[in-house]
Amino acid sequence: MLFWHTQPEHYHQYTPPNSYLRDVLALPIFKQEESNMPSEPDSKSPPLQYVMCAASSPAIKLHEETLTYLNQGQSYEVRLLDNRKIGELAELNGKLVKSIVRVVFHDRRLQYTEHQQLEGWRWNRPGDRILDIDVPLSVGIVDPRTNPTQLNTVEFLWDPTKRSSAFIQVNCISTEFTPRKHGGEKGVPFRIQFDTFKQDESGEYTEHLHSASCQVKVFKPKGADRKQKTDREKMEKRTPLEKEKYQPSFETTILTECSPWPDNSCLSNSPPATPSFCSSQQSYSLSETSGNCSSSSPIHQGDGLLPLPTGEQLIPSATIQETQQWLHKNRFAKFSRLFNNFAGADLLKLSRDDLIQICGPADGIRLHNALKARSVRPRLTIYVCQESQQAVYHAIYLEELNSLELTDKIATLFTMVPHLISSVYRQGPTGIHVLVSNQMIQNFQDETCFAIDMVKDENSDCYHVILK
């Protein structure tokens, strides 16, 4: 038996597939407009219909898409209805179809960074899923599946000729994807989309049959009920003339038709019109990652900080091409398409929160540190001078805290080959010379001052270094 609904007729109108317009990310246009033309009696109706048992908001103006409030983690029934006319798509009789359900972003701003947003959510909620199907409550659902790498997607098989209902749970809330938590009213809207496929000649579910979606906002438990009540009370205070500008609220939400979600093969075979992201990391040769550094040790500055080992800092006057080169050199190549029109000044104007929202928590913080030249303080700093020139001291920064590192740094300071230094001693009590070992260096006090005396070995061309 078909499920009859009392929503206005324009929610059931069908647009031929070749008239669908794509948004910047190959997503459907979400704004609906009611046609003023009388509907034709022979107009084609969709073969399937999806009805979610959740009330639509009464505070939505006419000609705008409905908005439905959901509670986090609550199971909502979506009735899967056969809407075919007699004799239409007879090949579906007795056959199963496959539906893929997704929770995606409604806002264009977040569509650009969907991959980073979902990865950030995965980082903050390890082990959780954005979308789940409540199998015990569902009816007529066959072989429900979830992919561990696709937290916002579930899929299942069902028979259109039999009573079928899928109970779905959305476990994220709208405010989890906003920079600042203002409450549910300020949260971002999502879309719940159903894409249904029938079997092709080889028996695979690849032939698209129907797609529909609706706009939702997700609140913490019981928050959707409070928001619905608030909207209803606001509408009751409006005048009858003002109420005519708004849609009535319905006990259920009918998902409206949209174009199918682009699958991975479609996205990979055609060049993207907008920034796209891939989870795989790009590999680099040693010369690309090491920049202009000729040794494994970073160059030290006079302020006692270790700069980033990837080379020069991005400057505001950098051109677009120079900014792209800087991104590649600092291992941000996967974001080069996203920042393809950014000069140095544009990139430096982005705040830490902006970069985290665009690139995700891990890469966003790393990019912010690279832009601001955030450095790591060395483990040990000592100051040395030649015994004959005690007025001028030089800083030596140690990371590995061993005698080999200290020997190399002293040799570099005196512009000599390290192997010409045969040993390093520290002058102890009563003028004795104590061999400097790794353990002694590890017990040096930070910012200790030494006067260096170079003594030539009588039996070779090497030198002994004495720290006084």
Side-chain angles (χ1 to χ4, degrees):
M1 180 176 65
L2 292 179
F3 181 81
W4 296 101
H5 198 271
T6 58
Q7 283 199 5
E9 195 61 27
H10 72 274
Y11 284 97
H12 303 272
Q13 290 179 354
Y14 176 76
T15 307
N18 57 7
S19 68
Y20 283 127
L21 298 179
R22 282 295 186 176
D23 204 339
V24 291
L25 284 183
L27 297 178
I29 295 297
F30 302 135
K31 181 75 178 273
Q32 298 178 350
E33 295 187 3
E34 183 178 12
S35 175
N36 294 325
M37 300 295 292
S39 58
E40 299 179 2
D42 296 333
S43 61
K44 186 178 179 181
S45 59
L48 303 174
Q49 193 173 58
Y50 317 93
V51 180
M52 184 165 60
C53 296
S56 59
S57 170
I60 303 300
K61 292 185 177 181
L62 295 174
H63 309 303
E64 290 185 358
E65 185 182 14
T66 59
L67 176 61
T68 303
Y69 303 131
L70 305 180
N71 288 317
Q72 178 189 22
Q74 181 173 328
S75 296
Y76 288 91
E77 180 185 10
V78 180
R79 298 175 182 175
L80 313 173
L81 307 177
D82 185 357
N83 201 34
R84 295 175 296 162
K85 297 179 180 178
I86 298 177
E88 182 184 2
L89 294 173
E91 66 271 17
L92 295 183
N93 294 334
K95 296 290 185 66
L96 297 176
V97 296
K98 177 182 178 179
S99 287
I100 301 177
V101 190
R102 295 179 174 87
V103 173
V104 295
F105 290 115
H106 176 84
D107 290 348
R108 180 179 302 183
R109 173 179 58 86
L110 293 174
Q111 292 168 11
Y112 278 106
T113 60
E114 179 176 297
H115 173 76
Q116 281 70 35
Q117 296 291 339
L118 298 185
E119 285 300 313
W121 191 89
R122 185 202 302 268
W123 177 274
N124 294 324
R125 301 272 297 274
D128 291 346
R129 290 187 54 82
I130 290 178
L131 180 65
D132 269 321
I133 181 169
D134 195 335
V135 178
L137 292 180
S138 300
V139 178
I141 300 302
V142 180
D143 193 20
R145 295 184 181 183
T146 58
N147 189 329
T149 62
Q150 297 177 338
L151 306 182
N152 61 328
T153 303
V154 298
E155 61 181 55
F156 53 83
L157 305 178
W158 58 286
D159 188 345
T161 62
K162 297 180 181 179
R163 177 174 176 263
S164 302
S165 292
F167 280 77
I168 61 174
Q169 300 170 336
V170 182
N171 299 314
C172 61
I173 59 176
S174 295
T175 53
E176 287 185 277
F177 300 95
T178 52
R180 300 175 181 85
K181 303 297 187 294
H182 295 291
E185 294 81 1
K186 300 297 183 181
V188 301
F190 303 120
R191 299 198 67 77
I192 296 179
Q193 176 159 338
F194 278 71
D195 294 302
T196 301
F197 302 84
K198 62 180 180 179
Q199 289 178 311
D200 56 17
E201 296 178 354
S202 61
E204 299 292 333
Y205 292 95
T206 58
E207 190 172 341
H208 179 254
L209 182 62
H210 181 248
S211 293
S213 64
C214 67
Q215 182 184 191
V216 300
K217 276 191 175 183
V218 185
F219 296 76
K220 291 183 178 180
K222 297 185 179 180
D225 307 309
R226 292 192 292 268
K227 177 61 175 171
Q228 187 79 3
K229 180 181 178 182
T230 301
D231 285 358
R232 187 169 55 250
E233 292 174 348
K234 288 181 179 178
M235 292 305 300
E236 290 174 354
K237 297 178 181 179
R238 296 184 181 274
T239 63
L241 184 61
E242 290 177 329
K243 290 181 181 179
E244 292 178 358
K245 301 178 182 179
Y246 291 84
Q247 300 179 24
S249 176
F250 296 96
E251 293 300 320
T252 56
T253 301
I254 292 183
L255 277 67
T256 55
E257 281 202 282
C258 65
S259 51
W261 188 266
D263 58 18
N264 293 333
S265 60
C266 295
L267 291 177
S268 60
N269 292 335
S270 59
T274 53
S276 60
F277 307 95
C278 180
S279 59
S280 62
Q281 299 293 328
Q282 186 169 349
S283 60
Y284 300 88
S285 65
L286 180 61
S287 60
E288 289 175 317
T289 57
S290 60
N292 297 327
C293 298
S294 58
S295 66
S296 59
S297 300
I299 303 174
H300 298 91
Q301 306 295 331
D303 58 359
L305 298 180
L306 302 179
L308 296 172
T310 46
E312 66 275 3
Q313 183 181 356
L314 183 69
I315 58 177
S317 59
T319 64
I320 293 177
Q321 184 178 2
E322 291 171 342
T323 302
Q324 290 290 306
Q325 293 174 351
W326 185 90
L327 288 170
H328 281 269
K329 190 174 182 180
N330 289 270
R331 308 190 313 280
F332 297 105
K334 63 180 178 180
F335 301 110
S336 60
R337 183 182 292 274
L338 180 61
F339 298 117
N340 61 350
N341 289 322
F342 278 62
D346 300 324
L347 203 56
L348 290 167
K349 287 178 182 178
L350 296 177
S351 66
R352 184 175 184 271
D353 290 339
D354 293 335
L355 294 171
I356 290 176
Q357 186 173 356
I358 294 172
C359 304
D363 286 318
I365 293 174
R366 189 167 67 88
L367 179 54
H368 175 264
N369 291 343
L371 290 172
K372 306 303 179 185
R374 293 291 297 274
S375 305
V376 181
R377 185 170 295 278
R379 296 176 63 185
L380 178 65
T381 302
I382 61 174
Y383 303 109
V384 298
C385 70
Q386 287 184 298
E387 191 173 19
S388 59
Q389 300 177 356
Q390 294 192 7
V392 180
Y393 280 82
H394 301 271
I396 292 180
Y397 305 102
L398 301 177
E399 284 294 333
E400 300 176 7
L401 302 185
N402 57 47
S403 58
L404 181 61
E405 182 187 21
L406 177 60
T407 301
D408 290 341
K409 295 296 179 66
I410 293 176
T412 302
L413 183 63
F414 287 93
T415 62
M416 59 188 299
V417 182
H419 73 264
L420 291 180
I421 299 178
S422 60
S423 55
V424 179
Y425 300 95
R426 181 177 183 180
Q427 184 169 296
T430 67
I432 63 174
H433 293 168
V434 183
L435 182 66
V436 174
S437 63
N438 297 343
Q439 188 174 7
M440 179 183 289
I441 295 175
Q442 293 166 7
N443 284 279
F444 278 175
Q445 290 187 356
D446 196 28
E447 298 189 334
T448 302
C449 297
F450 294 103
I452 290 182
D453 186 16
M454 306 284 289
V455 179
K456 194 174 186 307
D457 193 316
E458 296 179 355
N459 301 322
S460 65
D461 294 332
C462 297
Y463 290 84
H464 302 287
V465 175
I466 303 174
L467 304 177
K468 299 182 177 180

